[in-house]
Amino acid sequence: MKNFYLYNDHVEIVKNDGNIFTIYFNENSGKVYYRFKVGTMSKVKHPGIFLGVDAYGAGYFLHNHYHFGRAHITTQTEFVKGMPLYIYNEKCSNTPLKVIELGLKEILRRESYKPITYNCQTYTNTACHNQRKSEDADKWVGRAVLGGLALLLLGAAFSGGKGK
């Protein structure tokens, strides 16, 4: 995507080749949805922002994914990957149109995907709440820190007096 033109009822996406692709908004545009990540044993949510539909009724999402390497626009079929789709229950701080605008601006920034600091949750939280945070990454980092502290304490407890 080279640029975009945002209107109240649609967005015109200027593709890299200069062609314009129009996506029309509906009642779900700007809402955050998620599916669970594919191929993981943990229940990690993979969120994306519903953008709208094209002239043929195909749905589109904004999301950040490591396979692509950065935030981008993808079809609903590609986003869900055959998994059930759920809506996030929390209400966004921004209006749906602002969520879409910020999501598209993030795509234009072309920041590379980073598992801890710029993942799918960070991307949607930036557009939805103006905050760069990832609930699941924070949980896993916290668990790793606690696990490391536990290992240090166990190591200290079991070595207590050796080497004197």
Side-chain angles (χ1 to χ4, degrees), residues 74-86:
T74 191
T75 64
Q76 183 169 334
T77 302
E78 179 60 29
F79 177 73
V80 299
K81 295 199 174 290
M83 305 284 289
L85 189 62
Y86 307 95

Side-chain angles (χ1 to χ4, degrees), residues 52-67:
V53 296
D54 64 18
Y56 304 102
Y60 289 85
F61 273 82
L62 307 173
H63 82 124
N64 194 10
H65 197 275
Y66 70 92
H67 279 136

Side-chain angles (χ1 to χ4, degrees), residues 1-7 10-23 51 62 70 72-73 104-105 107-108 110:
M1 176 176 90
K2 189 187 293 188
N3 201 359
F4 67 92
Y5 299 103
L6 190 63
Y7 302 93
H10 71 282
V11 62
E12 294 175 350
I13 304 295
V14 181
K15 296 161 83 174
N16 290 334
D17 64 6
N19 287 320
I20 293 179
F21 181 62
T22 302
I23 298 177
L51 183 56
L62 307 173
R70 64 183 176 274
H72 64 287
I73 299 171
L104 290 168
K105 283 181 176 180
I107 290 173
L108 288 177
R110 302 181 61 85

Side-chain angles (χ1 to χ4, degrees), residues 22-117:
T22 302
I23 298 177
Y24 302 93
F25 302 147
N26 63 26
E27 67 277 358
N28 297 316
S29 296
K31 292 181 181 176
V32 178
Y33 288 81
Y34 72 92
R35 65 165 167 78
F36 289 107
K37 287 202 179 231
V38 178
T40 64
M41 293 181 63
S42 62
K43 290 281 191 175
V44 175
K45 294 176 181 176
H46 178 68
I49 300 162
F50 185 76
L51 183 56
V53 296
D54 64 18
Y56 304 102
Y60 289 85
F61 273 82
L62 307 173
H63 82 124
N64 194 10
H65 197 275
Y66 70 92
H67 279 136
F68 194 79
R70 64 183 176 274
H72 64 287
I73 299 171
T74 191
T75 64
Q76 183 169 334
T77 302
E78 179 60 29
F79 177 73
V80 299
K81 295 199 174 290
M83 305 284 289
L85 189 62
Y86 307 95
I87 189 158
Y88 258 96
N89 289 329
E90 70 179 63
K91 184 170 171 25
C92 286
S93 303
N94 293 320
T95 65
L97 197 59
K98 189 67 173 176
V99 170
I100 290 169
E101 178 186 4
L102 293 174
L104 290 168
K105 283 181 176 180
E106 284 294 303
I107 290 173
L108 288 177
R109 280 190 338 101
R110 302 181 61 85
E111 182 175 348
S112 295
Y113 180 95
K114 297 173 193 81
I116 303 295
T117 59

